[in-house]
Amino acid sequence: MNNNRSGRGKNRRSSEVKTGSANAGAGKASGGRLQGKDHRAGKTGNKQTGAATRTGMRPQGEASFSAGSGQAGGSSRSSEKNRSRTSRRSRDKNSGLGSGRNQQASRDIAAELGLPVAKNDETVIEIIGMNHDGEGVGRAEGYTLFVAGALPGEKVRVKVLKTKKQYGYAKLLEIITASKDRVAAPCPIYDQCGGCQLQHMSYEGQLEWKRQIVVDNLTRIGKLNVAEMKTHPQVDNLSSDMEDTHSAGDKPVYEGIQVLKTLGMQEPWRYRNKAQVPMGEIDGGLIGGFYAKGSHRIVDMERCMIQHEHNDEVVERVKQIGRSVGIRAYNEETGKGLLRHVVVKKAFRTGEIMLVLVTNGDSIPHVEAWIHGIREQLPQVTSICQNVNTKKTNVIFGDVTRVLWGSEVIYDYIGDIKFAISARSFYQVNPVQTEVLYGKTVEYAGLTGKETVIDAYCGIGTISLFLAQHAEHVYGVEIVKEAIEDAKKNADLNEITNATFEAGPSEDVIPQWKEQGITPDVIVVDPPRKGCDPRLLDTILEMRPERVVYVSCNPSTLARDLRVLEDGGFKTVEVTPVDMFPHTVHVECTVLLKWKGCNTKINPCYS
């Protein structure tokens, strides 16, 4: 999990459901896709012709008329025609004729394209799967429809919202037959907030689906041979710190690449140690929460089911204190106002809390009163910082950070390794599952204490320092200079002397290390969502380490990169999905690859 990753995306508004307790839930909208295909539906700025329709514009090649303008002919006659046409449309709409004409036009378009359904049609379909955005996938006479809130195995009645040549989108109207995995979402704002997409699905169902997402990507994109289990194992799919309930005789037998069951959490709620809350105003009063699905409209929030309780408390108190001292929220349309975001970082092990106020300017009115109120009402806060961001951007942090009160950092642990966390430093948001993920990474590295390890995309040294406890020496490289400085500080903090860190692109630094005689037995990569740089993959193939451990946050780019490594002489052995973000569509993986040749010094040849 790299600090360049993006954890959230835009999501479609939840569908309404007519069944009592069943919550239709939410899927990531705007961009529903079948695995392995990027149709880019719903994204503004798409250069395809269909993008114009999605953004409310006319398709390319169609004239855009404006009354009184010189566009598309520009004559007063054209303007008069437009006014007459607009008036006629208004009369038709009021009389109901307009909607009928529009519906007939939709059916005509569908007929031309040979589609079995048209926009606004209602139909009953069976949901046969779910795409990686969490939308149900159904078929209407062979035509694919994506349905937010629908689950595999369900029979549903839907209303078609949009049609394209190969696929369309529909709104869930009624669940006729519910999935065994359907549950009522416990979050009171689940239908409004865009943070989670799978709360309407049982946690066991989520874990199974996330494994299947990985399998689908490996087979469809990577063209890899994924093994099928030959027995019915009782493999525990919870974290390794839970009781192991299966015996050796229950272990699965595989042929091909082993994709193990997803490692989930015993308690998959309240797991996030960091909250980044955008601020806004309603009737002049300060509010803060999350963006509504597919928009930048802020939904005020008092509690979030996946945030640590203390994060909720801090955000709520900060809003109250801000209101009392007259703090105004930043308005991204006008560029006016002060408070952009409230960021809270909670150290699970030490209990320390850092509060960061992201402001649109250097000066904070009544800053002393604000700090006094925070210290008085939130004694668990040990650090109050200000980050200044005056740019018109959706990036949260600016370049300037200062300490308003307390310490510059807070401290937390992952396993036995202690980390200093500053206002802008990257730190994993789910420390419980991070320890699970890193534990599996160390296991796959197969370290005996004699190995040289290279950790590409090392960030602040989280994986590197774990590996250093079991290797002879670890070399970490990261393009972000500030992260490398943090990595060095964390090594000193833990008195780890067998770790070396260098800033720069991995594809440039690692070949330089090779020229210096540094030959790795193991290379660990933990790239951003876009995957490994092609030159880094070439470097790995040239260096031929005994093992490669690939930590991924994006199954599609993982599959692509594994195909390259396989073609170059490596064998993908085992994949373990890890649920770092329960109730969302995201899944992490750690993967073991071995070199097929027989030049290994420690591990036996892999055939």
Side-chain angles (χ1 to χ4, degrees), residues 227-332:
E228 294 186 5
M229 298 182 205
K230 299 302 182 182
T231 66
H232 298 284
Q234 301 298 318
V235 178
D236 186 9
N237 58 3
L238 299 177
S239 298
S240 57
D241 60 347
M242 295 186 63
E243 182 181 358
D244 187 358
T245 58
H246 61 272
S247 65
D250 293 326
K251 295 288 187 180
V253 177
Y254 293 95
E255 293 178 1
I257 299 172
Q258 303 178 33
V259 179
L260 304 185
K261 288 194 174 184
T262 307
L263 296 178
M265 300 187 72
Q266 182 177 13
E267 179 49 61
W269 301 100
R270 299 292 187 180
Y271 59 83
R272 288 187 61 94
N273 59 15
K274 181 174 72 172
Q276 297 181 147
V277 181
M279 307 305 291
E281 292 183 359
I282 291 182
D283 298 328
L286 199 65
I287 65 168
F290 287 102
Y291 294 121
K293 298 182 181 72
S295 78
H296 268 217
R297 179 177 60 83
I298 295 174
V299 178
D300 198 24
M301 176 201 69
E302 294 183 359
R303 65 189 183 109
C304 172
M305 299 293 292
I306 62 174
Q307 286 287 350
H308 192 284
E309 293 92 334
H310 290 170
N311 291 351
D312 286 346
E313 181 184 1
V314 171
V315 171
E316 188 60 29
R317 294 292 180 88
V318 167
K319 288 191 294 186
Q320 293 173 2
I321 298 168
R323 294 185 196 112
S324 68
V325 297
I327 298 297
R328 299 299 302 273
Y330 172 74
N331 185 312
E332 62 182 16

Side-chain angles (χ1 to χ4, degrees), residues 477-491:
V477 57
E478 166 65 52
I479 197 170
V480 181
K481 293 181 179 179
E482 294 82 0
I484 287 295
E485 293 304 313
D486 285 340
K488 293 176 179 178
K489 292 176 183 177
N490 286 323

Side-chain angles (χ1 to χ4, degrees), residues 50 55 62 69 101 162 164 200 257 262 273 292 369 375 438:
T55 57
E62 185 175 340
S69 73
R101 286 174 177 166
K162 184 186 299 184
K164 299 177 71 67
H200 62 295
I257 299 172
T262 307
N273 59 15
R375 291 182 60 190
Y438 289 0

